């Protein structure tokens, strides 16, 4: 079993977003969570993959397929959301639009 096979779906998402160059704040916006939760995902991902920095994580993702590395893990459906495939600015804007729409509708989307 490869170390990457032990990652959860969220850890894979976070690793892919780090590879795309997003900050923790941007990742939190995309995943609709807090920066602290993102930091927790990063810590566990670092531990599982044996890396120490975001750069090492990005290089790990790049060396295992880059944009398609989750497909190599058998988790193809993860890239189906629009904000996942958009540029970092578009992802954040898309998430902000969803949060505004949810607030306008009383918190449900």
């Amino acid at each position: 079993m490869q170390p990457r096979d032990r990652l959860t779906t969220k850890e894979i998402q976070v690793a892919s977003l780090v590879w795309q160059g997003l900050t923790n704040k941007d990742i939190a916006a995309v995943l609709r969570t807090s920066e602290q939760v993102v930091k927790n995902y990063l810590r566990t991902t670092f531990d599982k993959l044996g890396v120490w920095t975001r750069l090492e994580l990005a290089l790990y993702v790049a060396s295992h397929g880059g944009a398609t590395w989750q497909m190599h893990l058998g988790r193809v459906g993860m890239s189906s959301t629009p904000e996942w495939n958009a540029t970092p600015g578009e992802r954040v804007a898309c998430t902000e639009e969803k949060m505004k729409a949810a607030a306008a509708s009383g918190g449900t989307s």
Side-chain angles (χ1 to χ4, degrees):
M1 175 186 282
Q2 295 287 324
R4 63 184 182 175
D5 295 333
R6 297 177 31 217
L7 297 177
T8 67
T9 300
K10 288 291 186 186
E11 291 166 345
I12 293 168
Q13 287 176 328
V14 169
S16 295
L17 293 169
V18 166
W19 174 77
Q20 293 176 26
L22 272 70
T23 64
N24 287 357
K25 183 177 182 177
D26 291 340
I27 294 170
V30 169
L31 298 180
R32 296 188 202 135
T33 191
S34 71
E35 286 184 66
Q36 185 59 52
V37 170
V38 172
K39 290 177 185 178
N40 292 343
Y41 285 134
L42 283 170
R43 185 180 63 246
T44 58
T45 302
F46 286 2
D47 289 345
K48 289 178 182 180
L49 297 179
V51 299
W52 290 87
T53 66
R54 294 171 68 91
L55 176 59
E56 287 180 303
L57 178 59
L59 291 171
Y60 184 95
V61 172
S63 69
H64 288 87
T68 61
W69 86 301
Q70 67 268 17
M71 287 186 236
H72 299 289
L73 298 172
R75 302 186 185 162
V76 178
M78 288 180 14
S79 62
S80 61
T81 60
E83 62 266 19
W84 186 257
N85 295 321
T87 65
E90 291 171 334
R91 275 191 290 275
V92 173
C94 181
T95 302
E96 288 172 354
E97 289 173 17
K98 288 180 181 178
M99 291 188 317
K100 287 177 186 175
S105 66
T108 59
S109 53

